[in-house]
Amino acid sequence: MNIDFKLIFKNNEYLLMVNSEKMGISNELLSMYHKSLILNGMISLFLFGSSDKMNLTLQKKIMLLLTGLFSFIFNLGANSRASGLILASLFLSVMLFRKHTLAKYIILTILIFGVLLSYTVVIYGRGVDLQGIGQILLNINDMKYSNVFDDNFIIGNVFAGAWTFYEADRFNDFYPEMYKILSFSPFPSSIDHFTDYIKYEKRLHEYIPYGANSEIYKFGLMYIGLYFFLLYVILRQMNKSLIHNKLVGYLLCAPGYFYFIANQQYPLRNYFRFFLLSGLLCFVYNNYQKLRKHEGAIFRRN
């Protein structure tokens, strides 16, 4: 593992910690894990919060907790707004699967505070362009001197995707057909070679890409139709999986929910694959349940 740990601890270049190559990660498997740290953290903390339902051993609970916390701390140091999303997954599991006790509501209150604090720390860290795990406490201490708590500043960041759509509408952008097609691809770039077309990605600023909705709008009517058709088909599968089993259903739907949160902020290529992944997992699970019911009905008749 040839990883630049100094870079992880402290750096002053925005988005450096999410770039596997600049971090010195050459192993493809490790690179895939690094790129999916947010999703790993969400699933780990969700499973940890609902572990009593699955009768997990103490060792497995500790492993899930440590995996989730590592992902949270790393993404907080990388100034990723999804760090709050990782805590929110724990909030969701506690809310869904814990009994109504005073301890539960204390935990939920702490998690809400943690999500809000994560978001403000990340926004401040982006503003001063200081990242790294070693920078987190410094950012928390220094952000009280900034305008990060200003209402307009917070609202502007939360709804940034809406402003991006408004700005993008003013430009007459060109996208090659393969860029549009590969934006829907579920495969990594090493397989579908999307890196050959990434130069056509449009941005309002070096750090401000078009959101998925802006791109779909720019792609044209045929791709808008394809997009909403896929939304309908996959959401239908996701709803069915939740009807079969709430816990399994939420786990299978987690990547899809992640896309809906990120689609205003990032291009279609970045996170639509997570939505497709949820659709595929739910489709397989739903057909497995259907087959079980069919075999059960045959058994009862016999």
Side-chain angles (χ1 to χ4, degrees), residues 240-251:
K240 284 183 177 180
S241 69
L242 287 167
I243 292 171
H244 287 308
N245 185 298
K246 186 179 287 187
L247 175 59
V248 175
Y250 274 121
L251 285 172

Side-chain angles (χ1 to χ4, degrees), residues 4-165:
D4 188 345
F5 289 101
K6 290 182 179 178
L7 185 152
I8 293 175
F9 186 73
K10 192 170 184 180
N11 66 80
N12 59 358
E13 185 179 339
Y14 184 54
L15 295 181
L16 203 63
M17 287 174 70
V18 297
N19 189 316
S20 297
E21 291 182 6
K22 290 184 179 179
M23 284 183 60
I25 299 176
S26 55
N27 182 282
E28 287 191 14
L29 190 62
L30 189 61
S31 178
M32 286 179 64
Y33 179 78
H34 168 232
K35 290 179 179 178
S36 62
L37 263 178
I38 295 168
L39 194 60
N40 277 292
M42 288 172 61
I43 293 175
S44 294
L45 286 190
F46 184 87
L47 285 170
F48 172 75
S50 53
S51 57
D52 289 347
K53 288 282 182 180
M54 297 177 286
N55 298 318
L56 296 182
T57 63
L58 179 62
Q59 184 182 15
K60 290 179 180 177
K61 289 181 183 181
I62 292 173
M63 287 177 63
L64 287 170
L65 178 62
L66 292 178
T67 303
L69 286 180
F70 167 75
S71 181
F72 167 71
I73 293 170
F74 180 91
N75 283 285
L76 191 60
N79 289 337
S80 170
R81 285 169 294 189
S83 56
L85 195 62
I86 294 171
L87 282 186
S89 65
L90 180 57
F91 174 93
L92 179 64
S93 62
V94 171
M95 187 174 66
L96 288 173
F97 302 112
R98 296 282 172 169
K99 295 179 180 179
H100 297 281
T101 62
L102 178 61
K104 170 182 176 177
Y105 292 107
I106 291 174
I107 293 171
L108 291 176
T109 303
I110 293 171
L111 288 173
I112 290 173
F113 177 77
V115 171
L116 295 175
L117 179 63
S118 301
Y119 189 86
T120 49
V121 170
V122 163
I123 295 302
Y124 175 77
R126 289 184 174 200
V128 296
D129 214 11
L130 294 171
Q131 292 81 47
I133 292 174
Q135 187 64 34
I136 295 173
L137 292 179
L138 295 175
N139 285 346
I140 292 174
N141 181 65
D142 294 343
M143 70 182 184
K144 59 178 176 285
Y145 304 112
S146 73
N147 68 335
V148 75
F149 296 107
D150 180 73
D151 291 347
N152 292 330
F153 187 87
I154 293 173
I155 292 171
N157 276 282
V158 171
F159 297 103
W163 317 143
T164 304
F165 186 89

Side-chain angles (χ1 to χ4, degrees), residues 118-213:
S118 301
Y119 189 86
T120 49
V121 170
V122 163
I123 295 302
Y124 175 77
R126 289 184 174 200
V128 296
D129 214 11
L130 294 171
Q131 292 81 47
I133 292 174
Q135 187 64 34
I136 295 173
L137 292 179
L138 295 175
N139 285 346
I140 292 174
N141 181 65
D142 294 343
M143 70 182 184
K144 59 178 176 285
Y145 304 112
S146 73
N147 68 335
V148 75
F149 296 107
D150 180 73
D151 291 347
N152 292 330
F153 187 87
I154 293 173
I155 292 171
N157 276 282
V158 171
F159 297 103
W163 317 143
T164 304
F165 186 89
Y166 167 76
E167 293 290 337
D169 186 46
R170 299 189 300 157
F171 299 102
N172 185 23
D173 299 306
F174 167 77
Y175 293 96
E177 209 64 28
M178 280 304 296
Y179 178 92
K180 300 177 185 179
I181 293 169
L182 292 178
S183 290
F184 287 87
S185 169
F187 302 109
S189 297
S190 57
I191 294 177
D192 63 22
H193 302 292
F194 180 75
T195 47
D196 296 339
Y197 297 90
I198 198 168
K199 60 187 176 184
Y200 295 105
E201 182 185 279
K202 310 302 177 186
R203 288 174 172 260
L204 298 175
H205 181 273
E206 184 181 0
Y207 302 144
I208 308 177
Y210 285 5
N213 291 334

